[in-house]
């Protein structure tokens, strides 16, 4: 860990505002053992506590290198003498008492969720202690090293965080109130930290419940498709606040200092999920443009044979806090943290969704694997003459020209279905491309569904469908509105990793830069986001190849990636250049 930290680039952390407002009403450093009474309302937007809770606040935990971090621990107030509980851990830099922070209260109001589902003790994206303590669990909300009062310098994603969490887990297991079993839970950052932590195999980490989160910092957030994307990363790093004058790792500076994935620092930020050998209940969606690819990649790589996958049709936060889903997560935890013989193993290995974007999505569809073994991969070829998708490769070769500086900035191809057709699995697209007047090109692919009248369909995945949110999601905020399958690739980063790449899922090495020369036709294999979609008779699939990210940035107020497109793009189709999209067809 010391060696990898020497490769990191550090800057001063942002100052921690210790006013019991910015970071939540209980955010002041206040070590102690106290009782929070039922009926207490921490914030007007949140629900009053339903149960008496014991809060161990700002408990010091020493890491292996002598650094002390601080954590809050919640226990049922009515624990009997000698009673021992399993622990749920929410590992992230988001502030252990920030459940009542204005930024999160405002976020959930904007999404239409409100905040009444929370007691206010809920760490952002983590479990609510008021619910879980009443179910016989302890909840641990740590501030990682450097955050708030915790000592040390702040690192982000990788082995330092993972081994700090390892040390916390092993410390928790020795506490007199702990039964020696722990689990990790939460969404987003609280999921991708799970991949890294579980891969270190802490002896007392019993199971994990990842709920949508990236797996590889380079591929999933910094250089998606080899195209630099620093803006959302900058949004995350604002959470790196300290009271002690800590330094914080600046991954944006690291992006430009280490532009290839072969750099040691990016190898450290790719979780080795094959080392995860404990039960894992994984939740995913097709629609999360930040987390979908990493979640499915991690699921495929898991080293445990005790793994379950549920694919939903919502956004991660409303899905995670939905009471039915919370109770199912409890059943999983009860089985492995309390040894209850509750039939969890009878849960189907995979439950997937098929979306229609017209109000009749199907969820909870059962399979032994994903995609279902019945899925057959078929190719649809791009026909330049008719601008259609054909079952056979066109004999006539065509070169279709489009430019980032003119209209149109894209070319597209369509297929109208004459019978109900379902696609479930991993799509990809192969394109033969050329650029005039430059030496590189960024290619964006978007697979749309059109209704019988040719209208482009999309679907809100959060409760709020108001005008203001439509303003954001029309051209961006892609995690809040599902617009279809997508993918992107910088042509100079097209080199495939021969060990990890398959015909179904291309995997780029991102270890070399191969610029394009004049007249060179480059063969691009572009992995697309997983699909679960049905097309009814008369409906149309449209495949868009563009010079820009048509689906937009990840969240409101955050710009998207930084394309490097100049000159004229040429897409070759037909003849010796049989460009095609490969799709997993699920027979009736």
């Amino acid at each position: 860990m010391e060696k990898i930290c020497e490769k990191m680039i550090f800057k001063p952390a942002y100052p921690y505002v210790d006013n019991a407002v910015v970071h939540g009403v209980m955010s002041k450093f206040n070590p102690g053992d106290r009782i929070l009474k039922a009926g207490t309302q921490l914030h007007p937007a949140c629900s009053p506590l339903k149960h008496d809770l014991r809060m161990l606040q700002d408990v010091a935990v020493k890491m292996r290198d002598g650094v002390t971090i601080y954590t809050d621990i919640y226990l049922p107030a009515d624990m009997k003498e000698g009673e021992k509980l399993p622990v749920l851990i929410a590992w992230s830099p988001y502030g252990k008492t920030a459940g009542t922070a204005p930024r999160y209260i405002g976020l959930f109001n904007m999404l239409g969720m409100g905040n009444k589902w929370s007691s206010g003790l809920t760490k952002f994206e983590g479990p609510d202690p008021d619910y879980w303590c009443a179910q016989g669990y302890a909840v641990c909300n740590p501030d990682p090293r450097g955050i708030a009062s915790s000592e040390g310098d702040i690192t982000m994603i990788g082995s330092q965080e993972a081994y700090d969490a390892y040390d916390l887990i092993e410390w928790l297991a020795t506490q007199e109130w702990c039964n020696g079993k722990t689990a990790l839970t939460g969404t987003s950052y609280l999921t991708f930290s799970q991949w890294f932590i579980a891969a270190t195999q802490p002896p007392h980490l019993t199971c994990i419940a990842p709920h949508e989160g990236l797996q590889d910092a380079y591929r999933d957030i910094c250089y998606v498709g080899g195209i630099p994307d620093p803006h959302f990363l900058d949004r995350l790093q604002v959470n790196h606040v300290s009271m002690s004058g800590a330094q914080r790792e600046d991954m944006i500076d690291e992006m430009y200092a280490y532009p290839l994935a072969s750099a040691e620092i990016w190898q450290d930020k790719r979780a080795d999920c094959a080392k995860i050998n404990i039960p894992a209940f994984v939740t995913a969606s097709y629609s999360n443009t930040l987390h979908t690819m990493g979640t499915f990649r991690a699921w495929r790589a898991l080293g445990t044979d005790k793994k379950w996958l549920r694919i939903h049709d919502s956004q991660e936060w409303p899905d995670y806090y939905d009471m039915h889903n919370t109770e199912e997560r409890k059943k999983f935890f009860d089985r492995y943290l309390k040894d209850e013989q509750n039939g969890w193993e009878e849960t189907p290995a995979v439950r997937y969704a098929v979306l229609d974007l017209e109000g009749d999505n199907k969820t909870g569809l059962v399979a032994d694997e994903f995609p279902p073994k019945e899925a057959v991969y078929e190719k649809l070829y791009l026909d330049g003459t008719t601008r259609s998708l054909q079952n056979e490769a066109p004999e006539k070769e065509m070169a279709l020209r489009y430019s980032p500086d003119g209209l149109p900035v894209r070319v597209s191809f369509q297929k109208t279905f004459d019978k109900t057709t379902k696609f479930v699995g991993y799509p990809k697209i192969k394109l033969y491309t050329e650029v005039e007047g430059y030496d590189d090109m960024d290619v964006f692919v978007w697979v749309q569904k059109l209704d019988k009248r040719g209208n482009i369909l999309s679907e809100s995945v959060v409760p709020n469908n108001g005008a203001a949110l439509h303003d954001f999601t029309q051209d961006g905020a892609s995690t809040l509105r599902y617009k279809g399958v997508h993918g992107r690739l910088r042509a100079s980063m097209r080199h495939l990793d021969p060990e990890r790449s398959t015909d179904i899922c291309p995997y780029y090495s991102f270890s070399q830069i191969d610029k394009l020369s004049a007249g060179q036709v480059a063969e691009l294999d572009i992995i697309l986001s997983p699909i679960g979609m049905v097309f009814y008779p008369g409906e149309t699939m449209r495949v868009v190849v563009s010079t820009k990210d048509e689906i937009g940035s990840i969240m409101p107020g955050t710009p998207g990636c930084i394309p490097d497109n100049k000159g004229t793009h040429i897409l070759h189709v037909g003849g010796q250049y049989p460009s095609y999209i490969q799709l997993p067809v699920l027979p009736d």
Side-chain angles (χ1 to χ4, degrees):
M1 288 185 292
E2 291 181 2
K3 182 180 178 182
I4 195 62
C5 288
E6 291 173 0
K7 303 280 187 181
M8 295 175 180
I9 298 173
F10 287 93
K11 289 182 177 179
Y14 297 105
Y16 183 85
V17 181
D18 190 22
N19 63 357
V21 176
V22 172
H23 300 294
V25 298
M26 301 185 71
S27 60
K28 281 185 172 293
F29 186 71
N30 188 24
D33 184 342
R34 51 188 51 87
I35 300 296
L36 305 177
K37 300 297 292 183
T40 301
Q41 189 171 21
L42 298 174
H43 189 282
C46 300
S47 290
L49 294 178
K50 298 179 178 64
H51 312 94
D52 292 349
L53 295 178
R54 180 186 175 195
M55 180 185 186
L56 310 179
Q57 188 169 3
D58 290 309
V59 179
V61 183
K62 194 172 291 292
M63 304 289 98
R64 65 188 66 184
D65 62 353
V67 164
T68 295
I69 70 169
Y70 292 91
T71 186
D72 293 341
I73 298 167
Y74 297 92
L75 302 165
D78 59 355
M79 282 184 67
K80 298 177 177 62
E81 184 176 353
E83 185 179 0
K84 295 181 182 294
L85 306 177
V87 191
L88 304 180
I89 304 163
W91 185 276
S92 76
Y94 292 148
K96 58 186 176 58
T97 55
T100 53
R103 61 187 179 276
Y104 299 134
I105 296 291
L107 172 64
F108 291 121
N109 284 336
M110 178 195 72
L111 299 179
M113 292 173 60
N115 289 270
K116 292 301 181 183
W117 50 268
S118 172
S119 67
L121 297 175
T122 310
K123 188 176 186 179
F124 179 53
E125 301 181 327
D128 189 342
D130 191 32
Y131 171 85
W132 286 101
C133 289
Q135 312 306 316
Y137 289 87
V139 174
C140 176
N141 289 346
D143 275 336
R145 76 169 53 211
I147 300 295
S149 300
S150 293
E151 299 173 355
D153 291 332
I154 303 165
T155 64
M156 186 175 182
I157 311 174
S159 60
Q160 181 66 71
E161 273 199 310
Y163 282 107
D164 284 348
Y166 181 116
D167 293 346
L168 174 65
I169 288 165
E170 295 308 298
W171 177 87
L172 286 166
T174 68
Q175 302 308 297
E176 62 180 5
W177 44 262
C178 180
N179 73 351
K181 296 187 176 185
T182 68
L184 298 161
T185 183
T187 79
S188 190
Y189 200 110
L190 283 74
T191 282
F192 60 75
S193 64
Q194 292 184 52
W195 310 126
F196 289 88
I197 297 164
T200 67
Q201 301 181 349
H204 290 92
L205 180 61
T206 310
C207 59
I208 57 174
H211 195 112
E212 299 204 56
L214 60 86
Q215 174 263 343
D216 182 321
Y218 186 97
R219 289 168 174 82
D220 294 334
I221 191 170
C222 296
Y223 281 95
V224 180
I227 303 170
D229 198 350
H231 297 113
F232 190 76
L233 192 62
D234 185 52
R235 180 172 179 152
L236 291 184
Q237 293 186 163
V238 171
N239 294 284
H240 292 173
V241 295
S242 173
M243 293 183 68
S244 61
Q247 297 290 298
R248 63 174 179 88
E249 181 184 8
D250 192 311
M251 281 178 58
I252 295 176
D253 279 5
E254 290 170 354
M255 281 179 59
Y256 297 112
Y258 305 107
L260 298 179
S262 52
E264 188 176 357
I265 198 160
W266 301 120
Q267 295 297 310
D268 186 70
K269 297 182 188 298
R270 179 173 60 84
D272 187 354
C273 293
K275 293 181 178 178
I276 299 176
N277 57 6
I278 56 176
F281 177 24
V282 181
T283 304
S285 72
Y286 307 123
S287 59
N288 194 312
T289 47
L290 178 62
H291 295 146
T292 294
M293 299 295 278
T295 306
F296 279 90
R297 191 188 313 114
W299 155 259
R300 295 195 298 271
L302 284 173
T304 179
D305 59 357
K306 294 182 178 180
K307 63 177 185 178
W308 292 266
L309 175 66
R310 180 178 67 86
I311 304 171
H312 65 93
D313 65 344
S314 179
Q315 198 268 349
E316 61 192 33
W317 298 320
D319 186 82
Y320 181 79
Y321 291 111
D322 175 83
M323 186 50 64
H324 173 80
N325 297 333
T326 298
E327 289 175 349
E328 184 176 55
R329 201 174 309 117
K330 175 183 177 296
K331 184 177 180 180
F332 171 74
F333 288 144
D334 286 347
R335 171 65 187 89
Y336 294 107
L337 297 176
K338 296 183 177 181
D339 293 322
E340 292 186 6
Q341 300 303 313
N342 57 13
W344 171 263
E345 288 89 344
E346 298 173 11
T347 303
V350 171
R351 286 167 291 167
Y352 65 96
V354 174
L355 314 182
D356 74 350
L357 305 186
E358 297 176 270
D360 193 24
N361 295 342
K362 304 299 183 185
T363 60
L365 303 173
V366 172
D368 294 328
E369 57 193 58
F370 186 88
K373 60 180 177 293
E374 298 85 7
V376 178
Y377 283 88
E378 298 181 358
K379 295 180 175 66
L380 293 175
Y381 293 89
L382 281 55
D383 188 318
T385 302
T386 60
R387 287 292 193 90
S388 62
L389 301 169
Q390 300 290 339
N391 294 326
E392 302 294 332
E395 295 182 2
K396 182 179 180 181
E397 179 184 328
M398 288 196 68
L400 304 174
R401 305 167 71 89
Y402 57 105
S403 169
D405 300 318
L407 291 175
V409 299
R410 65 188 71 84
V411 292
S412 66
F413 307 83
Q414 297 187 171
K415 176 180 177 64
T416 299
F417 295 89
D418 57 11
K419 65 178 181 178
T420 298
T421 307
K422 296 177 184 176
F423 300 102
V424 180
Y426 301 111
K428 75 166 189 179
I429 193 166
K430 181 183 285 288
L431 301 175
Y432 294 88
T433 60
E434 180 186 353
V435 62
E436 287 182 352
Y438 200 48
D439 60 1
D440 210 346
M441 57 191 302
D442 291 340
V443 178
F444 298 88
V445 178
W446 182 14
V447 182
Q448 300 172 330
K449 179 180 179 181
L450 280 59
D451 69 12
K452 294 178 181 180
R453 294 174 296 279
N455 299 307
I456 298 170
L457 300 178
S458 64
E459 180 172 275
S460 175
V461 293
V462 295
N464 181 9
N465 288 302
L469 203 62
H470 280 292
D471 293 345
F472 282 117
T473 61
Q474 181 170 320
D475 300 307
S478 56
T479 60
L480 307 182
R481 173 169 290 279
Y482 181 52
K483 304 175 184 181
V485 169
H486 59 91
R488 68 196 194 202
L489 182 65
R490 175 162 287 181
S492 62
M493 304 290 271
R494 65 192 178 277
H495 179 259
L496 295 172
D497 184 325
E499 295 182 2
R500 293 190 174 93
S501 192
T502 69
D503 179 62
I504 303 301
C505 293
Y507 188 94
Y508 320 109
S509 69
F510 293 135
S511 61
Q512 62 191 62
I513 298 173
D514 297 317
K515 294 286 190 176
L516 302 180
S517 57
Q520 178 184 0
V521 178
E523 184 177 339
L524 306 186
D525 285 278
I526 304 178
I527 188 169
L528 304 177
S529 58
I531 189 172
M533 185 80 71
V534 60
F535 290 80
Y536 302 116
E539 295 183 331
T540 298
M541 172 182 288
R542 179 181 182 225
V543 174
V544 182
V545 181
S546 181
T547 61
K548 67 176 185 177
D549 186 3
E550 303 266 2
I551 64 173
S553 60
I554 295 169
M555 285 291 284
T558 304
C561 65
I562 306 173
D564 182 23
N565 278 328
K566 300 175 185 176
T568 300
H569 288 198
I570 304 172
L571 176 61
H572 294 267
V573 298
Q576 64 176 320
Y577 300 118
S579 294
Y580 65 82
I581 184 170
Q582 180 171 282
L583 293 158
V585 180
L586 191 64
D588 286 337

